[in-house]
Amino acid sequence: MNFPSPDPDCLRFLSIEGGDGAGKTTQIQLLTTALEGLGRKVTKVRDPGGTPLGDRLRSLLLDRPVAIDLRAEALLFFASRAQLVSEQIRPALQRGEIVLTDRYTLSTFVYQGHAGGLNLAELDLASNLATSGMEPSLCFLLDLDTNTASTRRVRPEDHMERLPRTFHDAVRNGFLTEAQKPKRNILVLDAREDPLPLHKKILDRVKAHLGILS
Ligand code: TYD
């Protein structure tokens, strides 16, 4: 696989991943506030979405008004991400900001690859086309068993969340398998932990990663 990207700006490109209901949104918010408090400028994005095109693709993918074949599904996630890189991520990194993304390529490898059954090497090729190899230099994986995840859900389920428990178990295993690959630089965290201690672990790691001293 073709990362971490040689682009030095990617040092400031960070992702948070995990199954549905793992608490990514809370952690992204806490991390953003903390980094801004340290005087850093942060751009937060979510994948799929984050651009006018991406938001339309997100509705197609998650509301599912029409049938979408698995390969088409993967390509729509990639299309949303390509636009996100070009409109948001690359410009923000070039401005010297920290970019935090709620999901990214890893989700496609896990949901459409490990759990969905698409070939990982083929996904890798399409992924490089979409992002030109722009990958986060550090990823936090909020790991949560599917039982606990389902009890946390508050809003109505989207298309992916309605998939059977076996799919979500495969998602969890897929994330943990990918986390074994050193190149991905994934820190696995137990998402059952309370939000604030979890946040402290994430912040400490980000500070060390970026060389922030205070
Ligand atoms: P979202 O609401 O952003 O995530 P969460 O439920 O964690 O708040 O929903 C995105 C859904 O799309 C989620 O179920 C994961 C799935 N997904 C994929 O299947 N492939 C992908 O490449 C991405 C980015 C997300």
Side-chain angles (χ1 to χ4, degrees):
M1 291 193 192
N2 188 22
F3 51 81
S5 163
D7 187 337
D9 283 343
C10 283
L11 181 70
R12 284 176 276 100
F13 184 21
L14 314 172
S15 62
I16 300 198
E17 296 267 7
D20 304 280
K24 292 183 280 84
T25 313
T26 306
Q27 290 304 327
I28 287 181
Q29 195 47 56
L30 288 168
L31 184 58
T32 302
T33 306
L35 290 170
E36 286 175 347
L38 292 166
R40 295 299 176 112
K41 187 113 180 49
V42 178
T43 289
K44 261 186 313 172
V45 295
R46 72 171 175 180
D47 179 354
T51 66
L53 174 65
D55 287 337
R56 290 193 184 195
L57 294 175
R58 182 183 171 88
S59 303
L60 274 176
L61 285 160
L62 300 186
D63 303 341
R64 235 14 105 102
V66 292
I68 304 177
D69 166 79
L70 178 61
R71 283 172 187 273
E73 177 181 290
L75 290 167
L76 292 175
F77 278 112
F78 284 131
S80 172
R81 190 166 307 133
Q83 192 70 22
L84 187 63
V85 167
S86 119
E87 239 178 81
Q88 295 284 344
I89 296 174
R90 196 188 302 280
L93 291 171
Q94 285 172 347
R95 291 193 300 270
E97 297 170 16
I98 295 169
V99 174
L100 284 183
T101 185
D102 182 344
R103 299 192 183 279
Y104 197 67
T105 307
L106 181 59
S107 278
T108 317
F109 276 80
V110 168
Y111 282 81
Q112 283 68 48
H114 287 274
L118 291 184
N119 179 282
L120 297 182
E122 289 178 358
L123 287 177
D124 201 33
L125 290 174
S127 179
N128 275 316
L129 175 66
T131 67
S132 44
M134 183 160 267
E135 284 291 325
S137 60
L138 176 61
C139 170
F140 296 97
L141 171 58
L142 302 188
D143 176 51
L144 192 63
D145 63 276
T146 40
N147 274 336
T148 311
S150 61
T151 62
R152 283 188 179 183
R153 198 165 286 141
V154 283
R155 53 179 168 68
E157 292 178 328
D158 63 33
H159 171 80
M160 305 304 293
E161 289 162 345
R162 280 193 293 273
L163 293 173
R165 175 68 58 91
T166 48
F167 180 87
H168 290 285
D169 287 337
V171 164
R172 185 189 188 199
N173 291 333
F175 273 126
L176 293 173
T177 301
E178 290 294 320
Q180 304 296 316
K181 301 180 180 169
K183 283 182 187 170
R184 288 215 180 262
N185 203 16
I186 295 174
L187 181 65
V188 183
L189 295 160
D190 185 345
R192 289 170 308 176
E193 208 176 334
D194 286 338
L196 285 179
L198 203 51
H199 162 63
K200 189 176 174 335
K201 283 185 187 157
I202 293 175
L203 181 61
D204 286 349
R205 181 63 182 264
V206 169
K207 282 167 140 181
H209 186 69
L210 298 178
I212 298 175
L213 298 176
S214 53

